[in-house]
Amino acid sequence: MRFDVISLFPELFSAVRDHGVTGRAHRQGLWSLRVWNPRDFTHDVHRTVDDRPYGGGPGMVMMAQPLEEAVHAAQADRADAPVWLMSPTGRRFDQRMAQELSEGRGAILVCGRYEGVDQRFIRRCVTHEVSMGDFVLSGGEIPALAIMDSAVRLLPGALNDRESAHQDSFHETLTGLLDSPHYTRPEVYQGESVPPELLSGHHANIALWRRRQSLALTLARRPDLIEAARAAGRLSKADEAFLASLKH
Ligand code: 9D3
């Protein structure tokens, strides 16, 4: 898999190339990364990449030409790659999109800065626009890092056996429930004990405790996921009885 990133801040991408699960996968040759700076595709002495918006208003707009030339450079030997623009007005990125991305050959990720990018670049070059959600960032770099992280960790061989034991499409798409709480040593920390169910060694009781913790947490924090699980036929009679017991 290969990612090409278009960004005014190329140094940020060492985060995903050099560290953690994605760094290890990169060293294993499971994916590669090339970063292109639009400033290197300017033709004026000031290396201008932005200008004032037509029609007025606050902030600056990224010019089409340096972005388009950077995309063309990235496309030189992979013209078929989808071009994703990181945009606050894009479709919200989710686990299904991560999964589909990980099954392909990669993408060209374009990171905007300032107030936005010239619409003619979007029309001419961009195939998808994606957002991380309803909060304001200063640019598309952190979304691009998140997208690469989410896709690379799904590549076969990216996770070791222990890391991948828990990974499956049910747990990792939003048809699942929220995870139950985790505990590790020591058994008593600052006077607070691990829940006795987890110390019992009784596997059926442990599974029941975790299931109930998941159901209660999901009902409290993400009732939409309870509804989705119910609609998908993923709640048993026992689950429904437990959920009903929480309401009084
Ligand atoms: C506060 C400025 N906004 C005025 C209505 C527009 C705006 C322009 C540019 C807001 C953010 C940005 C920079 N953000 C991104 O490039 C971005 C982003 C985000 O801010 N939130 C969630 N996902 C993304 S993807 C790219």
Side-chain angles (χ1 to χ4, degrees), residues 58 85-90 110-116 130-144:
L85 177 66
M86 307 299 110
S87 164
T89 58
V110 181
C111 305
R113 281 270 153 174
Y114 317 117
E115 277 304 300
V130 292
S131 163
M132 282 296 114
D134 295 338
F135 51 93
V136 179
L137 297 168
S138 326
E141 281 78 10
I142 287 170

Side-chain angles (χ1 to χ4, degrees), residues 8 18 21 28 30 58-59 61 66 89 98 102 111 170 194 196 206 211 221 240:
L8 291 169
D18 297 341
V21 167
Q28 288 175 298
L30 296 180
V61 175
T89 58
S102 77
C111 305
F170 171 69
V194 173
I206 292 168
R211 182 72 180 175
R221 296 215 183 135
E240 293 289 8

Side-chain angles (χ1 to χ4, degrees), residues 105-126:
R105 288 194 296 210
I108 299 170
L109 306 181
V110 181
C111 305
R113 281 270 153 174
Y114 317 117
E115 277 304 300
V117 310
D118 191 299
Q119 187 63 28
R120 292 164 296 186
F121 165 74
I122 300 176
R123 196 203 60 73
R124 290 168 57 80
C125 300
V126 170

Side-chain angles (χ1 to χ4, degrees), residues 78-235:
R78 57 169 338 200
D80 57 321
V83 178
W84 289 26
L85 177 66
M86 307 299 110
S87 164
T89 58
R91 177 166 148 221
R92 181 149 86 213
F93 187 73
D94 63 19
Q95 187 64 20
R96 178 158 290 121
M97 292 157 80
Q99 207 128 349
E100 284 170 14
L101 184 58
S102 77
E103 289 162 12
R105 288 194 296 210
I108 299 170
L109 306 181
V110 181
C111 305
R113 281 270 153 174
Y114 317 117
E115 277 304 300
V117 310
D118 191 299
Q119 187 63 28
R120 292 164 296 186
F121 165 74
I122 300 176
R123 196 203 60 73
R124 290 168 57 80
C125 300
V126 170
T127 61
H128 308 265
E129 293 183 61
V130 292
S131 163
M132 282 296 114
D134 295 338
F135 51 93
V136 179
L137 297 168
S138 326
E141 281 78 10
I142 287 170
L145 287 165
I147 286 170
M148 290 189 283
D149 186 86
S150 70
V152 167
R153 62 186 296 288
L154 293 173
L155 294 175
L159 300 184
N160 64 35
D161 290 348
R162 291 171 74 175
E163 290 162 344
S164 58
H166 196 63
Q167 186 183 53
D168 63 56
S169 58
F170 171 69
H171 267 107
E172 296 216 342
T173 58
L174 293 184
T175 52
L177 302 175
L178 300 183
D179 210 356
S180 59
H182 304 281
Y183 295 86
T184 187
R185 294 197 306 169
E187 200 175 305
V188 180
Y189 174 70
Q190 299 282 313
E192 196 174 330
S193 275
V194 173
E197 291 85 348
L198 297 178
L199 303 172
S200 67
H202 189 300
H203 296 298
N205 281 354
I206 292 168
L208 180 63
W209 181 85
R210 286 184 169 149
R211 182 72 180 175
R212 288 178 166 179
Q213 290 286 317
S214 279
L215 288 163
L217 187 67
T218 308
L219 183 65
R221 296 215 183 135
R222 294 293 306 276
D224 59 307
L225 297 184
I226 292 286
E227 205 36 65
R230 184 174 285 135
R234 295 193 139 125
L235 297 182

